[in-house]
Amino acid sequence: MTAGLKHQVFAKLDALCGNAGRVALGYSGGGDSHALLHMTRAWADQRGVILHALIVDHALRPESAAEAARAVDAARAAGVTPRLLHWDGARGGSAIQERARAARHELLARACRALDCQHLLLGHTRDDQAETVLMRLRSGAHWPGLAGMSGIDVSPSWPHGYGLRVVRPLLDVGRDELRCWLEAGGQNWVEDPSNQDQRFTRIRLRRALQQASPDVSLRLAGLASILDQARQLHRRQCRRAIDRYARFTNWGGAELDSHALSALEAGLRRSVLAVLAQAVSGGARAVGGGALDALESALTRRETGTGAGVLLAHEGEIGWIIRDPGAVLGRVDRTPRPDDQALCRETHVWDGRLLYPRGESVEVLGGAYMGLEQRDALAEIPGFARASLPCFRRKGIVISIPGLLGADAVQCRFLVADRVLSRLLPADPSCLPLRSGVMCDG
């Protein structure tokens, strides 16, 4: 059984990591990640792949620093280079697991970028999948949520996870199988004490599943597998619809065939809008709920509406999704605060959507177009989209408007089309790009 399990994981790694020259692995020292570490190290040795182990100290318990140090030693003993990451924002309060998860993914994404790794391996198992499905069932999730975790997906951290794939090669393997494999190899591991903390919903559900028939977990994981296939099909349908009925502009928006999009089946139409809105807004969170309702209403009624950080407006049958000008220019009740984050040493991301070089400063054009001498550059831009365009100024003069003016002055580009494509087809980064011959130079 142990040799068969190792062969099974090797096959998954080959399929999911492609020709990666280096990969990173989220490692805690627990049974699941310890088994994955040893299997991946053997696979990496055979394939000539460089492997890094990333250990996160959340600092949520007094013992966490010592536990992280032991994980560092265990990784090093396994022949894998470790890197210890610290969460400086640890504190009590509500939703601690959710906040810790977000912080963990950001730390892991930053480390992967620093190490030039495009694949991050995580040790989620079939049992974790069953728990995820059960949690989402309890919360009333729709069918895409019940598809659970994917074997490969984009990093949930944005923009730090740009270009990073999260790979889960153990989703078809149970925890008990992994521990049998470790014991057969004489390996020791340390379980995370928080996995016994009944204050957390997941831990309570884990205990319930352990006390139930083994068939329950298998059926829940099986349901996720079936629905994941449907989810992949749905994503491909979204991809085709966007390719046919949307066009990414060179200035960071999207032009829509509102009539054709309105005629789509409701679930597909909403998914298309959600993907477009998230990418155009530069936001980290998935779009849904009332914000998506408002955008769908604006689309189907050919009206103007805002939600999830975007504006959807119309010129006849032509629709436009742009970054909500109020979120960039500011409203009466708040000051504009577009994010500016360092993606790496040489590159920054402005407002979650514009990639530009370090040393430059992004400004907003504004309604008076201050410093813009070549105003004909705006001729093809809808009037409602002009004031909120990002630009670069030198001594008060606009030298570049990304995608419209001064491509040689500042090398930059919008991430909108990249983000849509990777979100819909995470396992196929080499597929043909969406229709966008209008992306910024750079």
Side-chain angles (χ1 to χ4, degrees):
M1 180 187 74
T2 56
L5 178 58
K6 187 175 178 180
H7 177 76
Q8 175 186 339
V9 174
F10 274 32
K12 282 284 186 180
L13 290 168
D14 285 335
L16 296 174
C17 293
N19 297 319
R22 58 181 68 227
V23 298
L25 186 150
Y27 180 64
S28 68
D32 302 336
S33 67
H34 193 60
L36 181 59
L37 179 78
H38 280 270
M39 292 184 193
T40 306
R41 191 217 63 203
W43 170 83
D45 288 347
Q46 288 189 13
R47 305 298 191 269
V49 175
I50 298 172
L51 174 63
H52 298 273
L54 306 180
I55 297 104
V56 177
D57 177 8
H58 294 91
L60 292 175
R61 294 178 293 102
E63 307 84 6
S64 68
E67 292 164 359
R70 284 196 293 271
V72 167
D73 291 341
R76 191 174 286 118
V80 180
T81 303
R83 175 174 285 208
L84 181 58
L85 312 172
H86 298 275
W87 183 27
D88 296 327
R91 64 187 187 280
S94 61
I96 184 62
Q97 282 200 319
E98 290 78 3
R99 289 190 286 112
R101 177 182 181 276
R104 178 169 63 252
H105 273 290
E106 180 175 334
L107 288 168
L108 292 170
R110 286 176 178 270
C112 285
R113 184 167 298 279
L115 294 167
D116 195 26
C117 294
Q118 294 182 318
H119 296 80
L120 171 65
L121 309 184
L122 298 179
H124 293 115
T125 66
R126 184 174 61 224
D127 300 274
D128 293 305
Q129 184 77 294
E131 293 160 11
T132 297
V133 174
L134 186 55
M135 287 180 69
R136 294 179 181 178
L137 274 170
R138 283 167 49 93
S139 66
H142 296 295
W143 73 265
L146 300 182
M149 298 175 284
S150 294
I152 184 168
D153 213 336
V154 293
S155 167
S157 179
W158 185 262
H160 303 289
Y162 171 53
L164 177 64
R165 299 300 190 271
V166 173
V167 177
R168 301 180 177 93
L170 301 181
L171 281 184
D172 296 328
V173 183
R175 287 195 192 104
D176 289 344
E177 294 176 75
L178 292 175
R179 280 147 182 76
C180 286
W181 185 85
L182 288 170
E183 290 171 351
Q187 291 291 332
N188 297 314
W189 66 94
V190 179
E191 298 294 357
D192 184 347
S194 64
N195 287 334
Q196 306 300 321
D197 194 334
Q198 296 291 309
R199 292 176 299 171
F200 301 131
T201 301
R202 178 178 287 273
I203 304 306
R204 294 196 298 272
L205 293 179
R206 179 175 300 173
R207 179 65 59 86
L209 286 172
Q210 290 171 344
Q211 294 173 348
S213 167
D215 286 348
V216 176
S217 288
L218 289 172
R219 289 177 183 273
L220 287 170
L223 172 64
S225 179
I226 293 170
L227 290 179
D228 185 53
Q229 296 176 42
R231 179 169 58 190
Q232 302 312 319
L233 175 60
H234 185 71
R235 286 175 173 175
R236 289 193 292 272
Q237 291 173 331
C238 286
R239 180 5 176 136
R240 286 193 291 269
I242 290 173
D243 202 25
R244 291 172 181 170
Y245 307 131
R247 180 183 68 86
F248 296 107
T249 71
N250 54 339
W251 42 268
E255 180 183 343
L256 310 177
D257 181 339
S258 293
H259 177 76
L261 288 173
S262 297
L264 295 175
E265 180 271 329
L268 180 59
R269 178 174 65 241
R270 287 175 66 85
S271 293
V272 166
L273 282 174
V275 170
L276 289 173
Q278 184 186 43
V280 171
S281 73
R285 289 182 170 274
V287 176
L292 185 56
D293 292 340
L295 295 175
E296 184 182 26
S297 176
L299 175 77
T300 56
R301 297 182 181 185
R302 312 297 190 271
E303 296 176 348
T304 297
T306 60
V310 299
L311 168 74
L312 197 156
H314 284 88
E315 295 178 325
E317 284 296 313
I318 300 299
W320 299 92
I321 287 187
I322 68 168
R323 181 69 163 109
D324 182 0
V328 177
L329 296 167
R331 297 187 173 92
V332 174
D333 60 343
R334 62 176 176 166
T335 302
R337 296 182 60 179
D339 289 335
D340 187 304
Q341 301 190 56
L343 195 61
C344 60
R345 187 170 59 183
E346 299 299 329
T347 307
H348 284 233
V349 175
W350 180 81
D351 201 30
R353 55 198 177 97
L354 179 68
L355 201 67
Y356 72 97
R358 181 175 66 110
E360 299 291 346
S361 179
V362 184
E363 301 180 19
V364 180
L365 184 60
Y369 309 155
M370 293 292 293
L372 179 60
E373 297 176 343
Q374 298 171 260
R375 300 202 173 192
D376 58 342
L378 305 178
E380 302 299 320
I381 309 301
F384 53 78
R386 296 175 182 176
S388 58
L389 291 171
C391 70
F392 298 87
R393 290 185 173 96
R394 298 267 171 82
K395 297 181 179 179
I397 302 300
V398 175
I399 62 166
S400 175
I401 301 177
L404 297 175
L405 175 69
D408 293 334
V410 181
Q411 297 293 308
C412 57
R413 67 187 179 92
F414 284 99
L415 301 178
V416 177
D418 288 357
R419 193 173 185 193
V420 168
L421 186 59
S422 62
R423 166 91 182 272
L424 294 177
L425 298 174
D428 188 11
S430 63
C431 64
L432 292 174
L434 291 157
R435 271 191 301 118
S436 122
V438 286
M439 288 289 289
C440 296
D441 293 336

